[in-house]
Amino acid sequence: MTAKIIDGKAFATDVRARVAKHVTMIKDESGITPGLAVVLVGEDPASQVYVRNKHASTIEVGMNSYEHRLDADTSEETLLALIDQLNNDPNVHGILCQLPLPDHLNEELVINSIIPSKDVDGFHISNVGMLSTGQKSMVPCTPLGCLMMLRDHHGSLSGLNAVVVGRSNIVGKPMANLLLRDSCTVTIAHSRTKNIEELCRAADIVVAAVGRPEMITGDWIGKGATVIDVGINRIPHPEKEGKSKLVGDVHFASASEVAGAITPVPGGVGPMTIACLLANTLTACCRTHGLTEPEGLTA
Ligand code: NDP
């Protein structure tokens, strides 16, 4: 069997187009332009690239983008004062504080200082609680992107057995909660899980969010299962000396021989994350102003 490739890049392009269309509609109807504020503390090179991409994507869909770059030694007090200002700014509908923060800053405190309605990353403790109790909330972007692709592929997820490998707060746990909400039977596996291969092999859906290059091989996958690979790992290029390449947490070549459908890395979950950030900003704006929410772009 050769798996169907779930093209996250094309899917993300479609999500962005739908966001852009809805943005135009609400601008025309209400004169309101959704706005996303991104706060970057320090000069982490990867974070700088992410923030640049987020800015460009936000502008592209017709939203306002507000960038706040702070020095690496910025005090917690200064950062919290900026977040307070953004919380109270009516032009800002979404606030994202790029992680990781420098060590002297308390990440939990900073995230929980963003008002839940503008927490487009879905990391605020209130949003986490609302998601886990099945209430309407802001949902973390990466799991939301995975859910959209799974819904698109399967139609209904009800009754399917899903294994989420990884239990982080930003991917594994919210992913499991979303799948549970869609009536999957969910198993969360982690570094202490016994018989992990067997659990995965029995699953209809495997979501890999481990951070270990190509750990999940074809013999872990049941015939016809759907595999969502969240992992982004840079490894030395096997053929080109001195070069590197990106791989997922799944060994794509062997898994795609067995799976029914699979996301590639790159070009799978990655592009969906920014697209879902835009979708979340739009949703936040619509909820704040009582405007019609976009269809199919929320959990
Ligand atoms: P974390 O490091 O926070 O969590 C990794 C999880 O994997 C932990 O729960 C850990 O278990 C589990 N784990 C580690 N080793 C094993 C093992 N040998 N067997 C089973 N489980 C194991 O990672 P994140 O959740 O933040 O990210 C996961 C991956 O997804 C990374 O590659 C990251 O780069 C990528 N990512 C991609 C995004 C995208 O946009 N595509 C966005 C966010 C992340 P335990 O809790 O027991 O330690």
Side-chain angles (χ1 to χ4, degrees):
M1 169 174 233
T2 306
K4 175 195 163 190
I5 309 296
I6 300 177
D7 185 346
K9 212 170 155 190
F11 205 112
T13 302
D14 179 58
V15 168
R16 286 143 91 123
R18 281 153 63 201
V19 169
K21 196 170 162 203
H22 203 87
V23 168
T24 305
M25 189 192 86
I26 63 169
K27 270 187 190 171
D28 289 348
E29 283 180 6
S30 65
I32 294 164
T33 304
L36 173 66
V38 176
V39 180
L40 173 63
V41 187
E43 269 126 42
D44 178 67
S47 293
Q48 290 198 343
V49 174
Y50 294 142
V51 168
R52 241 194 334 269
N53 289 344
K54 284 168 187 171
H55 173 75
S57 308
T58 308
I59 300 291
E60 211 177 277
V61 293
M63 297 188 193
N64 289 327
S65 168
Y66 308 98
E67 259 186 50
H68 295 269
R69 290 169 182 267
L70 304 177
D71 294 337
D73 61 358
T74 296
S75 70
E76 205 158 81
E77 198 186 356
T78 305
L79 178 57
L80 293 177
L82 171 62
I83 291 177
D84 187 48
Q85 179 198 318
L86 298 172
N87 280 340
N88 290 300
D89 185 338
N91 295 315
V92 171
H93 302 97
I95 304 169
L96 181 148
C97 196
Q98 185 65 47
L99 302 178
L101 290 171
D103 288 345
H104 68 283
L105 298 169
N106 179 340
E107 230 163 67
E108 245 172 51
L109 180 74
V110 170
I111 288 166
N112 288 324
S113 70
I114 298 171
I115 52 169
S117 57
K118 295 191 181 187
D119 167 40
V120 282
D121 253 343
F123 296 159
H124 190 289
I125 190 69
S126 295
N127 281 319
V128 175
M130 287 195 284
L131 173 61
S132 63
T133 51
Q135 298 176 64
K136 212 173 184 182
S137 64
M138 298 310 300
V139 173
C141 303
T142 301
L144 177 59
C146 297
L147 182 76
M148 282 184 194
M149 292 191 285
L150 283 168
R151 281 179 175 168
D152 181 70
H153 180 68
H154 285 275
S156 168
L157 302 178
S158 179
L160 297 179
N161 290 317
V163 172
V164 179
V165 190
R167 57 173 163 178
S168 73
N169 290 334
I170 62 166
V171 189
K173 283 183 198 145
M175 185 74 249
N177 268 320
L178 287 171
L179 291 168
L180 191 58
R181 200 195 250 195
D182 268 28
S183 298
C184 286
T185 302
V186 183
T187 303
I188 306 177
H190 47 78
S191 65
R192 309 292 170 88
T193 301
K194 289 179 186 155
N195 305 327
I196 192 166
E197 291 97 328
E198 267 170 51
L199 287 172
C200 288
R201 241 184 331 264
D204 302 304
I205 294 170
V206 175
V207 180
V210 192
R212 305 217 177 266
E214 302 179 318
M215 183 185 91
I216 297 175
T217 46
D219 54 339
W220 291 40
I221 305 298
K223 206 167 172 208
T226 303
V227 179
I228 303 289
D229 190 354
V230 181
I232 302 180
N233 309 288
R234 193 166 281 285
I235 61 162
H237 200 291
E239 285 131 35
K240 299 178 190 159
E241 217 188 298
K243 300 264 180 210
S244 64
K245 74 176 228 182
L246 284 184
V247 295
D249 292 340
V250 176
H251 186 264
F252 184 83
S254 59
S256 59
E257 289 297 312
V258 202
I262 187 167
T263 59
V265 177
V269 175
M272 284 299 285
T273 298
I274 290 193
C276 287
L277 172 67
L278 303 173
N280 274 353
T281 304
L282 174 59
T283 300
C285 174
C286 291
R287 287 182 186 167
T288 298
H289 295 284
L291 303 167
T292 311
E293 284 182 36
E295 253 177 63
L297 297 180
T298 53

